[in-house]
Amino acid sequence: MSLSVGIVGLPNVGKSTLFNALTKQNVVAENYPFATIDPNVGVVAVPDERLEKLAKLEHSEKIVPTIVEFIDIAGLVKDAAQGEGLGNKFLSHIREADAIAEVVRFFEDPNVLHVEGRVDPDRDMETIKTELILADLATLKKRIEALHHDAKSGDKLIVAKLRLFERLEKELSAGQLANQIPLQPEEKEQICELQLLTSKPFLLVANTEFDTAKKTYKSPATAALPIDAKLEMELAQLNDTERAEYLKELGLAESGLNRLIKAAYQTLGLITFLTTGPDETRAWTVRAGSLAPVAAGVIHTDFERGFIKAEVINWQKLLAAGSWNKAREVGLIRTEGKEYIVQDGDVVFFKFAV
């Protein structure tokens, strides 16, 4: 299951620095707008303490974590929706992402220019919101014009879709994001074809100095994840032992990047189930609420098509039992059918026939 998060924001807010730290790739992060002209893509492992513990229990030859794909998208500016600063090209890159991580600059540094002349997080957030809404309104306008022509046939489904899109246009024009508009499940399916930018899940990242990042910042509308991108870049250059020691000195349980990766995963509405054995211990990604056959299909389509049952145990109970066989002996392994909803942290063995 391929998942992607687009990192967006104004120029010089720390997007590329954050991306470098995430992926440990040498992406350009210069002190001028549009240093990143094409989107850079990095695949990042989701931190998961469960994998190493299960691998040790089962003496697994390898560990395979689940992943998130981060896309570093060049800085947006005011009037990007009208093409300012290569805006149309950048907006198209955002459209391909599953979720948006919006980086907002909170730090003051006279050596790092701000595209608007001064640091103002609320203004910057409003600029990004406006540009994304304007881009969506342009998309809606084209579809509404086409539907007006098609609705002349009197087709009730086309007319209903036209009314839905006109309602969306009205709400967006009033400053609402598409993901804030109450919609019925069937309406959500209908607007999927539009690929609206503001229908995507949002994660707000406050790029600020370490001392400030230790405090919890909340904007009037959205809770922000505070991160010191510069510090995270320094941490990314250290080996695991050095990084752990530095974090301990700073009084932090984990890096800001780990929190960001986990938050991005949660923002996408995903959970992780696990498989373990001598060959490998592996994390698998499914959407929250997925039934057992769907989860089986993530491993292989044959598993879903020929699903018979799933043997399931929570990862902590498996560790406490000491082995899969011992867990079975004491009755901790459950047998679940097609209606079972897979839970985060389930260790699963699927049985199937094709």
Side-chain angles (χ1 to χ4, degrees):
M1 189 173 187
S2 180
L3 310 162
S4 61
V5 177
I7 303 176
V8 305
L10 297 180
N12 293 349
V13 298
K15 298 185 314 305
S16 292
T17 301
L18 186 64
F19 180 81
N20 286 348
L22 275 166
T23 62
K24 300 181 184 178
Q25 292 185 20
N26 188 26
V27 178
V28 177
E30 298 294 344
N31 182 25
Y32 55 86
F34 317 125
T36 312
I37 300 301
D38 293 313
N40 294 278
V41 180
V43 176
V44 181
V46 176
D48 195 334
E49 63 172 348
R50 301 171 295 192
L51 291 174
E52 190 172 337
K53 293 178 180 179
L54 289 171
K56 184 177 180 181
L57 179 75
E58 292 292 328
H59 305 289
S60 303
E61 291 185 10
K62 64 178 179 177
I63 295 174
V64 184
T66 190
I67 59 171
V68 174
E69 185 180 81
F70 282 93
I71 307 171
D72 179 29
I73 299 168
L76 292 171
V77 293
K78 187 176 180 181
D79 297 327
Q82 282 72 50
E84 185 68 28
L86 303 180
N88 289 330
K89 182 179 180 182
F90 299 163
L91 289 168
S92 70
H93 294 148
I94 303 172
R95 205 177 300 280
E96 297 170 4
D98 297 309
I100 295 174
E102 181 183 343
V103 180
V104 181
R105 177 175 170 179
F106 283 75
F107 68 89
E108 295 279 357
D109 187 340
N111 297 316
V112 180
L113 302 176
H114 192 290
V115 69
E116 294 289 346
R118 64 184 178 85
V119 175
D120 186 337
D122 289 331
R123 178 206 57 214
D124 293 352
M125 285 186 280
E126 189 62 31
T127 296
I128 296 297
K129 175 183 175 182
T130 299
E131 294 309 318
L132 296 181
I133 286 176
L134 288 173
D136 282 349
L137 284 171
T139 299
L140 272 169
K141 183 179 179 180
K142 291 178 182 177
R143 284 295 291 124
I144 287 172
E145 288 176 354
L147 285 172
H148 268 298
H149 178 270
D150 296 340
K152 292 177 181 178
S153 67
D155 188 301
K156 291 183 178 180
L157 292 177
I158 294 176
V159 172
K161 181 180 285 190
L162 174 60
R163 297 290 174 261
L164 170 62
F165 287 5
E166 288 177 333
R167 177 160 71 90
L168 285 173
E169 184 181 38
K170 182 179 179 181
E171 296 279 10
L172 286 168
S173 296
Q176 285 284 90
L177 300 176
N179 61 19
Q180 297 173 329
I181 301 171
L183 295 171
Q184 297 299 319
E186 61 272 15
E187 292 177 326
K188 290 181 180 179
E189 288 184 17
Q190 285 183 311
I191 71 168
C192 282
E193 69 182 65
L194 298 169
Q195 289 187 298
L196 297 179
L197 302 173
T198 63
S199 67
K200 299 179 184 297
F202 274 75
L203 177 65
L204 188 61
V205 179
N207 186 12
T208 184
E209 296 87 349
F210 170 65
D211 288 341
T212 308
K214 288 173 67 176
K215 303 172 184 176
T216 302
Y217 167 80
K218 288 183 181 289
S219 72
T222 311
L225 179 66
I227 286 182
D228 184 338
K230 186 177 179 181
L231 171 63
E232 297 300 329
M233 188 61 190
E234 293 173 5
L235 287 168
Q237 307 305 314
L238 305 176
N239 61 40
D240 292 343
T241 302
E242 292 170 336
R243 189 180 306 114
E245 291 176 353
Y246 194 11
L247 286 170
K248 186 176 181 180
E249 289 177 15
L250 296 173
L252 297 173
E254 62 179 343
S255 71
L257 293 184
N258 277 10
R259 289 187 289 110
L260 172 59
I261 294 168
K262 290 177 181 178
Y265 207 68
Q266 293 167 358
T267 296
L268 289 165
L270 306 168
I271 64 167
T272 300
F273 73 90
L274 310 150
T275 55
T276 187
D279 292 336
E280 68 174 26
T281 292
R282 183 166 185 154
W284 302 89
T285 298
V286 290
R287 300 205 177 276
S290 293
L291 297 177
V294 174
V298 172
I299 299 176
H300 197 287
T301 53
D302 286 349
F303 286 24
E304 181 174 8
R305 187 168 64 251
F307 179 89
I308 298 175
K309 62 182 179 180
E311 294 186 338
V312 184
I313 183 173
N314 174 268
W315 74 279
Q316 290 175 311
K317 290 184 178 180
L318 178 57
L319 287 179
S323 73
W324 186 272
N325 288 335
K326 289 180 181 177
R328 187 190 299 281
E329 288 174 9
V330 297
L332 293 176
I333 306 292
R334 310 188 315 275
T335 299
E336 302 287 359
K338 293 182 178 180
E339 299 304 312
Y340 176 68
I341 298 175
V342 175
Q343 303 298 308
D344 187 72
D346 277 350
V347 181
V348 188
F349 178 77
F350 294 105
K351 294 196 174 182
F352 69 102
V354 291

